[in-house]
Amino acid sequence: MSQSQYVLVTPARDEEIFIGKTIEAVTRQTLRPRNWVIVDDGSSDQTVAIVSKAAATHRWITLIRRPDRGGRDVGKGSVEAFNCGFRALQNTNYDYICNLDADIVIGPYYYEMMLAVFRADPTLGMAVGSLFETYNGVRTRLRCQPEMVAGGATCWRRACFESINGLVEHTAWDGIDCYKAMMHGWQTRTLTDCALDVDHLRPLCTSYSNVLRGWAQRGRGMWFFGADPIWVCASSMFHTMSRPFVFAGGALLFGFIKECFTGGPQIDDPELLRFVRQWQSGKLKRKVSTLFSRSLNI
């Protein structure tokens, strides 16, 4: 099977604890990428040394170094680094482009099986495996809607990626790309085959100085791309079962409400803003209808 079918981009900043495991996971793939660009975003630890050693061994790994921005910029900074790596691939032949965070471990068949899923469904625009995190030795699946695609190990069909004009440099980028893809008629999916499971080594929202601040930032991101307030309330209740229990959902709702009342900025895309609310409203109606139908059958 040709290695020219997909390329990888990894933004990284101060990832010496995790990135070695990410590199090992990719080098063990049964289908390796044609090119893997790792963009160091101003690390002050051993990240560059670890990546440089891997690049010297594997010619398909390229290291790009960016100047220190003065601190970790979750979301916007990560997308800036991703876009830097993406630009380096402009003259590369590929059918799929994939983001892989530097704190992710995937199984050896991940990309071979992922591309098989894409080939089987030409309407599939973007996909990811199910994300897991481990707390106190207990491996837990992260909660999400089946149509939503978490950004840590996302794969995009090239035609889909081009139709959404790439990634928006904002914390909420991995919600915006999903809604844009659906708006353009693409299917989006989190895949549940166990061979496509993804282990997220850094717990969700802990890239921030405070985990609740991270959840509040997710709420602010939902305001940015125009989420329906009822959807946000439902999402807040849904995430009361995410860590830290109860508080995660509350912080998410707080972040959204704060942006609403302070007039926080929203994406300059009226068509997307309308689509997001229509899609979320329709999804909620279908869920309520399903629950009502089940209650009548009790």
Side-chain angles (χ1 to χ4, degrees):
M1 193 175 292
S2 172
Q3 289 186 339
S4 66
Q5 289 182 303
Y6 79 102
V7 291
L8 285 181
V9 180
T10 293
R13 179 184 172 89
D14 294 335
E15 297 286 5
E16 65 178 4
I17 297 174
F18 305 120
I19 198 167
K21 296 177 182 178
T22 302
I23 292 171
E24 181 183 1
V26 175
T27 59
R28 292 175 58 240
Q29 291 298 298
T30 55
L31 179 63
R32 292 176 182 171
R34 180 168 186 180
N35 292 109
W36 183 15
V37 179
I38 302 176
V39 182
D40 177 72
D41 196 30
S43 296
S44 59
D45 63 1
Q46 294 300 306
T47 297
V48 169
I50 295 169
V51 177
S52 296
K53 182 178 179 180
T57 304
H58 305 284
R59 297 181 62 182
W60 43 274
I61 299 178
T62 301
L63 170 65
I64 295 177
R65 299 187 66 180
R66 287 170 53 87
D68 185 4
R69 66 176 69 248
R72 184 184 294 272
D73 185 354
V74 180
K76 182 177 183 295
S78 296
V79 179
E80 288 176 353
F82 176 92
N83 286 338
C84 176
F86 174 65
R87 287 191 293 271
L89 294 166
Q90 294 303 297
N91 296 321
T92 303
N93 178 37
Y94 62 89
D95 299 315
Y96 307 92
I97 182 167
C98 309
N99 176 69
L100 185 67
D101 285 355
D103 55 5
I104 291 289
V105 171
I106 51 179
Y109 301 100
Y110 187 80
Y111 289 111
E112 181 178 353
M113 292 188 64
M114 181 66 73
L115 267 59
V117 173
F118 274 102
R119 287 193 298 271
D121 182 359
T123 69
L124 184 63
M126 53 185 291
V128 72
S130 297
L131 265 69
F132 286 79
E133 292 178 351
T134 300
Y135 298 90
N136 299 321
V138 179
R139 190 166 177 259
T140 306
R141 186 192 300 267
L142 293 182
R143 296 164 62 80
C144 71
Q145 297 297 321
E147 302 90 347
M148 295 292 103
V149 179
T154 300
C155 296
W156 297 270
R157 191 184 299 273
R158 183 172 184 169
C160 174
F161 193 79
E162 291 174 350
S163 72
I164 65 173
N165 295 317
L167 304 183
V168 175
E169 294 179 354
H170 189 274
T171 305
W173 68 269
D174 61 346
I176 294 170
D177 66 337
C178 212
Y179 286 113
K180 276 190 170 184
M182 290 190 288
M183 186 175 71
H184 284 86
W186 295 102
Q187 297 294 314
T188 62
R189 196 180 311 157
T190 290
L191 305 169
T192 57
D193 190 306
C194 62
L196 290 168
D197 288 350
V198 176
D199 283 295
H200 190 209
L201 303 181
R202 178 186 286 107
L204 188 66
C205 292
T206 57
S207 293
Y208 296 88
S209 58
N210 181 287
V211 66
L212 293 182
R213 182 170 174 256
W215 280 101
Q217 186 65 20
R218 291 190 70 174
R220 288 191 284 270
M222 294 177 80
W223 167 261
F224 180 76
F225 61 67
D228 186 300
I230 300 176
W231 177 271
V232 176
C233 291
S235 182
S236 173
M237 290 187 288
F238 180 77
H239 283 294
T240 57
M241 296 303 295
S242 299
R243 293 177 185 270
F245 298 125
V246 180
F247 295 104
L252 183 151
L253 183 60
F254 171 79
F256 179 86
I257 291 174
K258 182 178 179 181
E259 288 297 284
C260 177
F261 281 97
T262 58
Q266 290 189 309
I267 190 169
D268 185 17
D269 189 337
E271 184 181 5
L272 178 64
L273 291 170
R274 285 193 298 272
F275 176 83
V276 168
R277 292 207 172 189
Q278 289 172 357
W279 186 90
Q280 291 177 344
S281 176
K283 179 82 171 180
L284 285 170
K285 288 176 182 177
R286 289 191 295 274
K287 282 184 173 291
V288 171
S289 176
T290 299
L291 289 172
F292 182 72
S293 297
R294 287 177 180 174
S295 68
L296 291 178
N297 293 327
I298 292 176

